[in-house]
Amino acid sequence: MRDRLMWLLVRPTTPPLWLGILVATSLIAVETLLVYLLKQVAPENAFGAVFLLGVLVVSARWGFGLSVMTTLASAAAYVYFHLETDGGVLPTKVQDWVAIVVFLPIALLANVLAGQARLRAVEADQRRREAEAS
């Protein structure tokens, strides 16, 4: 079961870009709704980790470019919908900036690690084919 799940998430080839954009957009929308519903229970800046879920899924399945775009869109959604901006685009509190400064490097690192996993999957698939051929 674990191997099948890993095979679904980290394959040597990526699905079409349009599907990745659709998945990324859907995940960000669902995450935004989830945080909106949960913000009555806890402070809003505690939910930055919720936005990492979509970033991790897209990072594991699609290329680096779409992963970075998903990271930036998730951070923008987090800032726009859930942090205090006093009518502007940028947060006004130091704690909100800290949440963003923590979120972005972690999400970008996840993108890089998922890319490495995808490269290893390609190498393993190629070695398996070579072993079967010999």
Side-chain angles (χ1 to χ4, degrees), residues 7 45 56 68:
W7 183 79
N45 63 1
L56 292 174
V68 170

Side-chain angles (χ1 to χ4, degrees), residues 5-114:
L5 179 62
M6 289 305 295
W7 183 79
L8 287 172
L9 288 175
V10 184
R11 288 195 207 173
T13 58
T14 60
L17 182 61
W18 66 266
L19 183 60
I21 293 170
L22 180 66
V23 168
T25 305
S26 300
L27 286 170
I28 291 171
V30 168
E31 292 162 351
T32 302
L33 178 63
L34 180 64
V35 170
Y36 179 76
L37 295 172
L38 293 174
K39 75 178 183 178
Q40 298 159 354
V41 179
E44 293 176 8
N45 63 1
F47 294 113
V50 172
F51 285 98
L52 279 176
L53 177 64
V55 170
L56 292 174
V57 169
V58 172
S59 295
R61 207 58 195 95
W62 282 271
F64 185 73
L66 184 59
S67 299
V68 170
M69 294 308 296
T70 304
T71 298
L72 295 176
S74 292
Y78 182 50
V79 168
Y80 186 77
F81 292 111
H82 306 295
L83 299 180
E84 294 180 26
T85 59
D86 290 338
V89 178
L90 297 175
T92 56
K93 290 184 169 181
V94 173
Q95 63 205 33
D96 295 339
W97 278 105
V98 170
I100 294 166
V101 168
V102 168
F103 175 82
L104 283 174
I106 291 172
L108 292 171
L109 180 61
N111 297 337
V112 171
L113 292 175

